[in-house]
Amino acid sequence: IAKILNKPDDAEHYNQLADKIQNAFDKKFLKEDGTVSTGSQTAQACSLFHGMIPAYKQAAVYGKLLEKIKGANDHHATGYLGTKAIYRLLSDRGQHELAYKMVTQKDCPSYGYWIEEGFTTLNEMWPGGKGAGRGGSNNHPWSGDISAWFYQYLAGINADPQQPGFKHIIIHPMPVPGLTKASAWHRSPYGIVRSSWRI
């Protein structure tokens, strides 16, 4: 933001501060084998997703994340913060089919599980069963980022980071085996953006 506002002194100050924060984070939380903090899916995914891992350690951290997912029988074991990061990270790093499998698993925890249980809204908690209401809201926004994953990755509607606000549009759908069609639309400041594909 400081760069955009043409404040080079502020930009330099915050760049230096960011470097200090990353170094302190690495020193405290990043282990030699690529484990971050407790090694949870959330710790591994969020640290990569938010750019906290130096380039030479990213493969090790990502490998630990994949081990954790495999250990959970290809389910996520994340909460609010990790759920947003894990699906995007997997799709961005060549594991899009795994991300889709995790989203559509029919047992808990998964969005597919909620569909199997008849839910039409997003719950606050993963467990539950029919009529849940046990421990939280049955219409909760925390898990709603999956909608963005659907239109950005499956349908492929993306704003160009170099020209924010959909001034320039990138359409890049990512089909997966077993999914025969996808369509989405977004109301941008410049009009409706649509993407649709069928196999």
Side-chain angles (χ1 to χ4, degrees):
I1 295 297
K3 273 186 185 177
I4 291 169
L5 296 176
N6 197 25
K7 296 187 175 191
D9 292 343
D10 287 351
E12 181 59 26
H13 167 76
Y14 288 116
N15 278 331
Q16 289 178 9
L17 181 59
D19 288 343
K20 285 181 186 175
I21 291 169
Q22 179 162 8
N23 289 336
F25 177 90
D26 292 349
K27 187 174 179 181
K28 181 161 180 76
F29 297 112
L30 182 57
K31 298 178 176 64
E32 191 60 37
D33 69 350
T35 300
V36 178
S37 185
T38 62
S40 69
Q41 286 185 16
T42 295
Q44 300 301 122
C46 284
S47 61
L48 282 168
F49 182 73
H50 292 293
M52 296 300 292
I53 305 299
Y56 77 97
K57 276 283 192 190
Q58 289 183 13
V61 172
Y62 187 59
K64 290 288 184 186
L65 172 61
L66 294 177
E67 285 176 19
K68 284 288 185 178
I69 293 169
K70 185 176 181 181
N73 197 24
D74 293 342
H75 287 75
H76 67 254
T78 53
Y80 171 66
L81 299 174
T83 302
K84 175 174 182 168
I86 199 165
Y87 294 115
R88 294 168 178 272
L89 189 67
L90 290 170
S91 291
D92 286 340
R93 290 185 173 244
Q95 294 285 337
H96 183 58
E97 289 181 29
L98 175 59
Y100 180 75
K101 179 181 180 182
M102 291 167 64
V103 169
T104 58
Q105 293 273 37
K106 294 187 176 180
D107 56 335
C108 189
S110 175
Y111 293 92
Y113 164 75
W114 282 344
I115 292 169
E116 286 292 303
E117 291 295 310
F119 288 107
T120 57
T121 57
L122 300 168
N123 292 313
E124 185 175 359
M125 308 290 196
W126 287 109
K130 291 202 183 286
R134 306 175 212 156
S137 161
N138 286 348
N139 189 11
H140 204 75
W142 79 262
S143 51
D145 186 70
I146 197 65
S147 300
W149 182 84
F150 287 148
Y151 78 75
Q152 289 178 314
Y153 291 89
L154 294 179
I157 297 175
N158 291 276
D160 183 344
Q162 301 305 314
Q163 299 183 57
F166 286 90
K167 289 178 186 172
H168 182 247
I169 303 156
I170 298 170
I171 302 291
H172 180 227
M174 296 175 69
V176 289
L179 187 64
T180 59
K181 62 182 177 177
S183 64
W185 63 271
H186 172 72
R187 188 184 308 277
S188 84
Y190 304 97
I192 302 290
V193 181
R194 296 182 192 277
S195 172
S196 181
W197 58 263
R198 180 184 299 269
I199 295 173

